[in-house]
Amino acid sequence: MSLKIVVAVLVIGVMVSGCATVNVEAPRGQSVILQPSVESQPVVSKGKIWYALYGLVPITSNSTADVIKKEKLKEASFRTYYGFDDYLISIITGIITVQPKTLEVRGK
């Protein structure tokens, strides 16, 4: 009985975890100041980045340049994390190795 529980926990752990990268870069020709994580800055964008093969292959754009250009930011800070909703989604999509990660952009 305990072996089944250990195996189940390991399988679920693999399905909801992963390794994913986010390219922090500015659009070509635009100067942007990278700030430390400043909680007082307003959140200008919050979205999901989707990955296949547990984070090895980005399915959607994993660059911050698109958000910086769209929001016309001069100063920005970024935070990526696996939110509770990301874990819930990964329970289902992790079976086919597709997982989301949340990217939060703050700036002005």
Side-chain angles (χ1 to χ4, degrees):
M1 178 75 169
S2 64
L3 181 60
K4 289 181 182 179
I5 293 172
V6 170
V7 170
V9 167
L10 288 174
V11 168
I12 290 172
V14 167
M15 288 172 47
V16 299
S17 66
C19 175
T21 60
V22 174
N23 296 327
V24 178
E25 56 191 5
R28 182 173 289 228
Q30 185 175 346
S31 178
V32 178
I33 298 171
L34 182 60
Q35 298 179 326
S37 181
V38 181
E39 295 298 321
S40 62
Q41 292 286 350
V43 174
V44 294
S45 176
K46 188 174 182 180
K48 302 267 184 244
I49 302 173
W50 289 87
Y51 297 92
L53 299 176
Y54 299 109
L56 291 175
V57 180
I59 297 173
T60 59
S61 174
N62 66 339
S63 174
T64 59
D66 301 331
V67 176
I68 291 172
K69 185 175 182 180
K70 179 182 169 196
E71 301 294 334
K72 299 179 180 80
L73 298 177
K74 301 295 180 198
E75 300 176 3
S77 66
F78 309 96
R79 183 173 85 128
T80 60
Y81 59 92
Y82 289 106
F84 181 72
D85 57 337
D86 296 329
Y87 285 114
L88 290 177
I89 293 168
S90 293
I91 289 172
I92 309 249
T93 61
I95 296 169
I96 57 171
T97 75
V98 174
Q99 296 180 318
K101 188 172 190 176
T102 301
L103 171 64
E104 181 178 279
V105 181
R106 294 177 176 267
K108 57 183 175 175

